[in-house]
Amino acid sequence: MARKEILLNAFNMNCVGHINHGLWTHPRDRSTGYNTLEYWTGQARTLERGLFDGLFIADIVGVYDVYQNNVDATLRESIQLPVNDPLLLVPAMAAVTQHLGFGVTVNLTYEQPYLLARRFSTLDHLTRGRVGWNIVTGYLDSAARAMGLAGQIAHDERYDRADEYLEVLYQLWEGSWEDGAVRRDKAARVFADPGKVHKVRHAGKYYNVEGYHLAEPSPQRTPVLFQAGSSGRGQQFAARHAECVFISPPSKEAARSTVKALREQLVLAGRRPDDIRIFAGTAVVPGRTAAEARQKYAEYKDYASREAGLAHFAASTGVDFGKYDLDAPVDYGGGNAIESATRTAQQHGWTRRKLLELFELGGRYPAIVGDARQVADELQSWVEETGIDGFNLSRTVVPESYEDFVDLVVPELQNRGLYKTAYAEGSLRRKLFAGDDTLPARHAAAGFRRGRD
Ligand SMILES: Cc1cc2nc3c(=O)[nH]c(=O)nc-3n(C[C@H](O)[C@H](O)[C@H](O)COP(=O)(O)O)c2cc1C
């Protein structure tokens, strides 16, 4: 039987400190160059050389001001602040690559669906069908206040709004322009056939939209839909909409049960268990030898900031760890942030000391350290033992963490038959699912199509 090929996303953000905090101070790190096109085009080329499926670009609206009730640590350590717009990076990277996908995070709470629909369609055209959207609804009060709200919308209601938002988008992307609406017929002087372009009329609880989708149908129509919520309501949302799901499990056992629950929810939603690809977050520090990897890891640790990791986690959970003594029990109740992260911390009873211990590289993803064989063993065991499809690889020192992975680990995975040796042709969706460019008929979006079987 052919072995399951591991999927790989690089995980990055248009900012200095992303997940593994403090490493921007490492002498070889170049992440302060995030303001330049060269930084991004160079990385895109490296990832495509390594046949990565995608670059996943996180984003945050708002600032991390929960820790010590201010933004000081966030600014000092550059914890996702400053942060630039992720969508604007894509055309430059698409211009220097042929196959690399781009999963871009956009928080829908603060964007009008009518405008966001056009922005994604534009990118899907310009990338020739290589764009994905990581659907997030936000978890920061600072964002809500910056956008004119008194505070955040309640956790489950964020998902209710998102459900309706997606319905509006499906109408625009899938239903407004029929297949064949665009004729481009110079002789007949007909660009588009008026009989095949429809006005969307949506009057809902949260959104009212009446209008034609501004963009003509793009290769994938709906971008590949990514999602990362792991709460009960989050999984329900994923089961209806998501095609790729990011999880950040603290252990293989936790991963296995999340994967099982997600695939069960998918079947309940009328889809197939393998209609989603599940990616687990990890960091990898590979070396030419095991000793070199260990030495590199020790060196990275010297530059990492555990406190910055804690400040980031404070915002993720809504808990100000600055108020707690190192060994005092932490009250994780009552938060309105990332429910799954909070629950994990609560279940394990993590104190401030324990969290600081865990954040060796300044972040909460467990790192895999070793030579190519050891790293490949571990990645392989994660896939085989948990049912995930691949990894969301957070960066450490940039760009060497991607270069090391491509040069050292990719060939080992290929030798084992666990990784592709060439890209498949076509759109991101076609590459990920070996199916069509557009969503299958059993996906919720298909119900909004017009003029198709
Ligand atoms: C791997 C991963 C990446 C995420 N990236 C982002 C992001 O870029 N921006 C954001 O606002 N939230 C991000 N989140 C948070 C999720 O979108 C979501 O808000 C969170 O997981 C809450 O879901 P839950 O309450 O259903 O568990 C991410 C979560 C995970 C696990």
Side-chain angles (χ1 to χ4, degrees):
M1 193 181 86
R3 287 173 122 173
K4 180 166 155 178
E5 282 182 358
I6 293 175
L7 299 174
L8 281 180
N9 275 319
F11 194 23
N12 206 342
M13 190 162 174
N14 197 355
C15 65
V16 177
H18 179 206
I19 295 286
N20 297 304
H21 293 294
L23 290 177
W24 67 275
T25 60
H26 189 287
R28 291 194 300 276
D29 187 86
R30 298 284 171 267
S31 60
T32 54
Y34 76 104
N35 274 326
T36 66
L37 282 182
E38 295 72 24
Y39 174 80
W40 293 102
T41 52
Q43 278 179 54
R45 285 193 177 99
T46 301
L47 296 175
E48 185 149 288
R49 180 164 67 80
L51 306 177
F52 271 61
D53 297 281
L55 169 63
F56 170 52
I57 313 174
D59 188 39
I60 198 77
V61 178
V63 297
Y64 296 151
D65 58 1
V66 175
Y67 184 64
Q68 296 173 334
N69 201 24
N70 63 44
V71 82
D72 295 0
T74 297
L75 283 167
R76 268 198 313 273
E77 299 275 1
S78 195
I79 308 168
Q80 303 189 353
L81 184 72
V83 57
N84 286 348
D85 192 303
L87 282 169
L88 297 177
L89 299 173
V90 173
M93 290 191 282
V96 299
T97 53
Q98 297 275 317
H99 295 283
L100 185 67
F102 303 98
V104 191
T105 302
V106 177
N107 181 339
L108 60 81
T109 302
Y110 308 118
E111 299 270 356
Q112 284 296 324
Y114 191 63
L115 295 176
L116 188 66
R118 180 172 69 161
R119 234 176 295 143
F120 269 108
S121 295
T122 306
L123 276 185
D124 201 45
H125 280 298
L126 294 179
T127 59
R128 291 202 301 275
R130 288 192 274 153
V131 78
W133 172 29
N134 178 35
I135 307 163
V136 304
T137 58
Y139 56 90
L140 296 178
D141 275 325
S142 61
R145 289 193 301 270
M147 296 301 293
L149 305 179
Q152 258 200 105
I153 298 160
H155 180 270
D156 284 8
E157 192 179 1
R158 301 202 284 268
Y159 283 112
D160 296 342
R161 288 168 57 100
D163 268 327
E164 191 185 321
Y165 197 103
L166 268 287
E167 281 181 16
V168 175
L169 292 180
Y170 295 150
Q171 291 173 69
L172 292 163
W173 283 327
E174 303 282 339
S176 188
W177 295 61
E178 288 183 28
D179 284 349
V182 177
R183 300 239 317 255
R184 285 193 199 87
D185 186 337
K186 289 189 180 181
R189 300 197 62 84
V190 176
F191 184 83
D193 179 348
K196 293 189 170 180
V197 183
H198 308 285
K199 190 181 260 186
V200 166
R201 285 192 177 80
H202 177 90
K205 184 170 176 195
Y206 301 107
Y207 299 99
N208 291 308
V209 174
E210 184 189 315
Y212 299 95
H213 186 34
L214 292 168
E216 65 181 274
S218 65
Q220 302 182 113
R221 285 185 174 257
T222 298
V224 174
L225 299 174
F226 293 67
Q227 204 264 349
S230 294
S231 63
R233 184 64 183 91
Q235 288 190 7
Q236 206 188 335
F237 179 85
R240 177 146 190 248
H241 303 284
E243 302 174 85
C244 296
V245 173
F246 293 122
I247 60 173
S248 46
S251 63
K252 285 182 193 159
E253 293 67 43
R256 197 179 309 126
S257 71
T258 302
V259 168
K260 186 165 172 287
L262 269 168
R263 299 209 193 276
E264 281 169 5
Q265 291 263 2
L266 214 59
V267 174
L268 291 177
R271 299 170 69 196
R272 297 181 186 158
D274 60 355
D275 273 352
I276 49 171
R277 301 283 179 256
I278 303 175
F279 296 80
T282 189
V284 170
V285 182
R288 274 184 297 269
T289 62
E292 185 189 273
R294 276 197 305 275
Q295 194 246 326
K296 201 190 297 178
Y297 186 68
E299 182 194 298
Y300 285 4
K301 273 201 303 186
D302 285 345
Y303 291 92
S305 168
R306 294 170 192 253
E307 194 198 9
L310 193 67
H312 186 170
F313 199 62
S316 302
T317 54
V319 172
D320 178 5
F321 298 102
K323 290 196 307 206
Y324 290 93
D325 289 335
L326 278 173
D327 297 307
V330 174
D331 176 8
Y332 285 98
N336 186 17
I338 303 183
E339 198 177 290
S340 38
T342 315
R343 197 180 51 230
T344 303
Q346 189 168 31
Q347 278 167 357
H348 290 83
W350 283 336
T351 58
R352 182 175 174 177
R353 185 189 302 278
K354 180 64 189 173
L355 288 168
L356 288 168
E357 271 169 31
L358 287 174
F359 299 155
E360 281 197 336
L361 278 191
R364 65 188 142 110
Y365 294 102
I368 301 171
V369 184
D371 63 17
R373 200 175 42 78
Q374 291 168 320
V375 171
D377 281 348
E378 189 58 13
L379 295 178
Q380 183 173 352
S381 84
W382 265 86
V383 171
E384 288 172 356
E385 291 171 33
T386 68
I388 59 166
D389 299 285
F391 299 91
N392 204 22
L393 216 61
S394 68
R395 59 172 160 95
T396 54
V397 170
V398 197
E400 77 180 29
S401 71
Y402 295 138
E403 287 164 354
D404 286 350
F405 193 93
V406 168
D407 293 334
L408 301 174
V409 182
V410 164
E412 175 66 23
L413 293 173
Q414 287 171 325
N415 287 341
R416 295 179 185 203
L418 289 171
Y419 194 66
K420 60 180 141 356
T421 51
Y423 279 111
E425 289 302 318
S427 64
L428 177 59
R429 180 171 287 116
R430 193 180 283 274
K431 284 185 171 75
L432 289 171
F433 292 96
D436 293 332
D437 293 329
T438 53
L439 280 160
R442 58 188 175 275
H443 187 279
F448 296 92
R449 287 178 181 146
R450 292 203 220 182
R452 282 212 242 178
D453 296 334

